[in-house]
Amino acid sequence: MKAELFKLAQQVVQEIRNYGFQAYIVGGAVRDLLLDRTVDDIDIATSAYPDQIQKIFPKVIPTGIEHGTVLVRYQSTSFEVTTFRTETSYSDFRRPDAVSFVTDLKEDLARRDFTMNAIAMDQSLQLIDPYHGQNDINKKLIRTVGRAQERFLEDPLRMMRAIRFQSQLGFELATEVLQAIDDNRKWLEKIALERIAVEWEKTLKGTYFHDAIQSLLRTGLVNHIPILSENSDIQESFQTLHGPLPSFASFIAYMNLNVSDIAISDWTNKWKLSNQIKKSSRLLVQLVQDYPKEPFNWVLYRLPEDLIEEFTILCELFYKDTFTQEEIKMLQKNLVIKDRSELAINGQDIISFFPNRAKGSWIQNMLLETEKAVVSELIKNDKNGIREWLQYDKQ
């Protein structure tokens, strides 16, 4: 797949060159190719302006045309194509105040964050590396293009990106990068939480997350991250994480299981996260807490497929004897029922079993008890059997 993607990118580059413009593969795709990592998309930088790209390719989407960026659809694959540019200061700590298009690749690469992301490839996949990014990759070193102080003042989110790349790649942060983060960490608070959250979730998933934790603590950047900055117990619990977590929901669940004083709604509100993340976090906490004390079938019955990985990882962190994801999927497959619609009775049946009782919340409570008993295989999923069980047990 990677080879096919680069082959298509080479064709796009060559097509642009056929019209007399420069074009190069740039950025993370080049870095990840050198590291033999998965490449999902490829960016292309060119001397051509967006309107010129639109004339070259039949299907072009103007995704960020004011900044020189369009999306080229080529043989059912998307390539982000951006005109060579330089940028001025960042008054809003996010976007450059002005963008100037240039004709020199080196000027374009100079605006990028880290040397490993400032490497280009021509149509023959030959490297153009004016800032020695390949050398830093070989040294496993995260170093900025130019002065780290300037790069981080332009966009303070780059400090989080440095931490994220350490988590993903296991590289060391250069001394000047660590110092610049320490010096400029307060500016992270100027960044929109939605942008920080995107970087944070990628950081959580990194193989070398524990190394990233140490850098967050060493530079003090942790003191400018929502919730983590506000509570010493949270910071102590945070330091006990030694491996990656697959999602923001699993991170919040882990922290809540350790420090329950900080409610899940506090996490999601401070981070401006979705209701779905809040819901998933709460369910994970409940299921992990129920794991040692409730019938395991009942725990599995309430565990959605998309949270199996999170659940197993959290159980591994809190309990010694746990099930693998494969075992859980097999056990779920063998459950007596998969959801309440398969239950042999419903609320109307329960009303008919107890005709002398006034309607109330007891109906749903009894339905839930029945559901749990069937799933836990205490009774069979049979209407007559359930009626007898309820009438005997609830009289």
Coordinates of all heavy atoms in Angstrom, one line a residue, residues 233-267:
D233 N -2.8 15.2 43.3 CA -3.2 13.7 43.2 C -3.3 13.3 41.8 O -2.9 12.1 41.5 CB -4.5 13.5 44.0 CG -4.4 13.7 45.5 OD1 -3.3 13.6 46.0 OD2 -5.4 13.9 46.1
I234 N -3.9 14.1 41.0 CA -4.0 13.8 39.5 C -2.6 13.6 38.9 O -2.3 12.7 38.2 CB -4.8 14.9 38.8 CG1 -6.3 14.7 39.1 CG2 -4.5 14.8 37.3 CD1 -6.9 13.6 38.4
Q235 N -1.7 14.5 39.2 CA -0.3 14.5 38.7 C 0.4 13.2 39.2 O 1.1 12.6 38.4 CB 0.5 15.7 39.0 CG 0.1 16.9 38.2 CD 1.2 18.0 38.1 OE1 2.3 17.7 38.4 NE2 0.8 19.2 37.7
E236 N 0.2 12.8 40.4 CA 0.8 11.6 40.9 C 0.3 10.4 40.2 O 1.0 9.5 39.8 CB 0.6 11.5 42.4 CG 1.4 12.4 43.3 CD 1.1 12.3 44.8 OE1 0.6 11.2 45.2 OE2 1.5 13.2 45.5
S237 N -1.0 10.4 40.0 CA -1.7 9.2 39.3 C -1.2 9.2 37.9 O -1.0 8.1 37.3 CB -3.2 9.4 39.4 OG -3.8 8.4 38.7
F238 N -1.1 10.4 37.3 CA -0.7 10.5 35.9 C 0.7 9.8 35.7 O 1.0 9.2 34.7 CB -0.6 12.0 35.5 CG -0.1 12.3 34.2 CD1 -0.6 11.8 33.0 CD2 1.0 13.1 34.1 CE1 -0.1 12.1 31.8 CE2 1.6 13.5 32.8 CZ 1.0 13.0 31.7
Q239 N 1.6 10.0 36.6 CA 2.9 9.5 36.5 C 3.0 7.9 36.7 O 4.0 7.3 36.3 CB 3.8 10.1 37.6 CG 4.1 11.6 37.4 CD 4.9 12.2 38.5 OE1 6.0 11.7 38.8 NE2 4.4 13.2 39.2
T240 N 1.9 7.3 37.1 CA 1.9 5.9 37.2 C 1.6 5.2 35.9 O 1.8 3.9 35.8 CB 0.8 5.4 38.2 OG1 -0.5 5.7 37.7 CG2 1.1 6.0 39.6
L241 N 1.3 5.9 34.9 CA 1.0 5.4 33.5 C 2.3 5.0 32.9 O 3.2 5.9 32.7 CB 0.3 6.4 32.7 CG -1.3 6.3 32.7 CD1 -1.9 7.5 32.0 CD2 -1.8 5.0 32.2
H242 N 2.5 3.8 32.5 CA 3.8 3.3 31.9 C 3.6 2.9 30.4 O 4.5 2.6 29.8 CB 4.4 2.2 32.7 CG 4.9 2.6 34.0 ND1 6.0 3.3 34.2 CD2 4.3 2.5 35.3 CE1 6.2 3.6 35.5 NE2 5.1 3.1 36.2
G243 N 2.4 2.9 30.0 CA 2.1 2.5 28.6 C 1.1 3.3 27.9 O 0.4 4.1 28.6
P244 N 0.8 3.1 26.7 CA -0.1 4.0 25.9 C -1.6 3.6 26.3 O -1.8 2.5 26.8 CB 0.2 3.7 24.5 CG 0.8 2.3 24.5 CD 1.6 2.2 25.8
L245 N -2.5 4.5 26.0 CA -3.9 4.2 26.1 C -4.5 4.5 24.8 O -4.1 5.5 24.1 CB -4.5 5.1 27.2 CG -4.1 4.8 28.6 CD1 -4.6 5.9 29.6 CD2 -4.7 3.4 29.0
P246 N -5.5 3.8 24.4 CA -6.0 3.9 23.0 C -7.0 5.0 22.7 O -7.3 5.3 21.5 CB -6.8 2.6 22.8 CG -7.2 2.1 24.2 CD -6.1 2.6 25.1
S247 N -7.4 5.8 23.7 CA -8.3 6.9 23.5 C -8.4 7.8 24.6 O -7.9 7.6 25.7 CB -9.7 6.3 23.2 OG -10.2 5.7 24.4
F248 N -9.0 9.0 24.4 CA -9.2 10.0 25.4 C -10.1 9.4 26.5 O -9.9 9.7 27.7 CB -9.8 11.3 24.8 CG -9.3 12.5 25.4 CD1 -8.8 13.6 24.6 CD2 -9.2 12.7 26.8 CE1 -8.3 14.7 25.2 CE2 -8.7 13.9 27.4 CZ -8.3 14.9 26.5
A249 N -11.1 8.7 26.1 CA -12.1 8.1 27.0 C -11.4 7.2 28.0 O -11.7 7.2 29.2 CB -13.2 7.4 26.3
S250 N -10.5 6.3 27.5 CA -9.8 5.4 28.4 C -8.8 6.2 29.3 O -8.7 5.8 30.5 CB -9.0 4.4 27.6 OG -8.1 5.0 26.7
F251 N -8.3 7.3 28.9 CA -7.4 8.1 29.7 C -8.2 8.7 30.9 O -7.9 8.6 32.1 CB -6.7 9.2 28.9 CG -6.0 10.2 29.8 CD1 -4.8 9.9 30.4 CD2 -6.5 11.5 29.9 CE1 -4.2 10.8 31.2 CE2 -5.8 12.4 30.7 CZ -4.7 12.1 31.3
I252 N -9.4 9.3 30.5 CA -10.2 9.9 31.6 C -10.7 8.8 32.5 O -10.8 9.0 33.8 CB -11.4 10.6 30.9 CG1 -10.9 11.8 30.1 CG2 -12.5 11.0 32.0 CD1 -12.0 12.5 29.3
A253 N -11.1 7.6 32.0 CA -11.6 6.6 32.9 C -10.4 6.1 33.9 O -10.7 6.0 35.1 CB -12.0 5.4 32.1
Y254 N -9.2 6.0 33.3 CA -8.1 5.6 34.2 C -7.9 6.6 35.3 O -7.7 6.3 36.5 CB -6.8 5.5 33.3 CG -5.6 5.2 34.2 CD1 -5.3 3.9 34.5 CD2 -4.7 6.2 34.6 CE1 -4.2 3.6 35.3 CE2 -3.6 6.0 35.3 CZ -3.3 4.7 35.7 OH -2.2 4.4 36.5
M255 N -7.9 7.9 34.9 CA -7.7 9.0 35.9 C -8.8 9.0 36.9 O -8.6 9.2 38.1 CB -7.5 10.3 35.2 CG -6.4 10.4 34.2 SD -4.7 10.0 34.9 CE -4.5 11.4 36.0
N256 N -10.0 8.8 36.5 CA -11.2 8.8 37.4 C -11.2 7.6 38.4 O -11.5 7.8 39.6 CB -12.5 8.9 36.6 CG -13.7 8.9 37.5 OD1 -14.3 7.9 37.8 ND2 -14.0 10.1 38.1
L257 N -10.7 6.5 37.9 CA -10.6 5.3 38.7 C -9.6 5.5 39.8 O -9.7 4.9 40.9 CB -10.3 4.1 37.9 CG -11.5 3.5 37.0 CD1 -11.0 2.6 35.9 CD2 -12.5 2.8 37.9
N258 N -8.6 6.3 39.5 CA -7.5 6.6 40.5 C -7.9 7.7 41.4 O -7.6 7.7 42.6 CB -6.2 6.9 39.8 CG -5.5 5.6 39.4 OD1 -4.9 4.9 40.2 ND2 -5.5 5.4 38.1
V259 N -8.5 8.8 40.9 CA -8.8 10.0 41.6 C -10.3 10.3 41.3 O -10.6 11.1 40.4 CB -7.9 11.2 41.3 CG1 -8.2 12.4 42.2 CG2 -6.4 10.8 41.4
S260 N -11.2 9.7 42.1 CA -12.6 9.9 41.8 C -13.1 11.2 42.2 O -14.3 11.6 41.8 CB -13.4 8.8 42.6 OG -13.2 8.9 44.0
D261 N -12.4 12.0 42.9 CA -12.8 13.4 43.3 C -13.0 14.3 42.1 O -13.8 15.2 42.1 CB -11.8 14.0 44.2 CG -11.7 13.4 45.6 OD1 -12.7 12.6 45.9 OD2 -10.8 13.6 46.4
I262 N -12.2 14.0 41.0 CA -12.4 14.8 39.8 C -13.4 14.0 38.9 O -13.1 12.9 38.4 CB -11.0 14.9 39.0 CG1 -9.9 15.4 40.0 CG2 -11.2 15.8 37.8 CD1 -10.2 16.8 40.6
A263 N -14.5 14.6 38.8 CA -15.6 13.9 38.1 C -15.3 13.8 36.6 O -14.6 14.6 36.0 CB -16.9 14.6 38.3
I264 N -15.9 12.8 35.9 CA -15.7 12.7 34.5 C -16.2 13.9 33.7 O -15.6 14.4 32.8 CB -16.4 11.4 34.0 CG1 -15.6 10.2 34.4 CG2 -16.6 11.4 32.5 CD1 -16.3 8.9 34.2
S265 N -17.3 14.5 34.2 CA -17.8 15.7 33.6 C -16.9 16.9 33.7 O -16.8 17.8 32.9 CB -19.2 16.1 34.2 OG -19.1 16.3 35.6
D266 N -16.1 16.9 34.8 CA -15.0 18.0 34.9 C -14.0 17.8 33.8 O -13.6 18.8 33.2 CB -14.3 17.9 36.3 CG -15.2 18.2 37.5 OD1 -16.2 19.0 37.2 OD2 -15.0 17.8 38.6
W267 N -13.6 16.6 33.6 CA -12.6 16.3 32.5 C -13.2 16.8 31.1 O -12.5 17.5 30.4 CB -12.3 14.9 32.4 CG -11.3 14.4 33.4 CD1 -11.6 13.8 34.6 CD2 -9.9 14.5 33.4 NE1 -10.5 13.5 35.3 CE2 -9.4 13.9 34.6 CE3 -9.0 15.0 32.5 CZ2 -8.1 13.8 34.9 CZ3 -7.6 14.9 32.8 CH2 -7.2 14.3 34.0

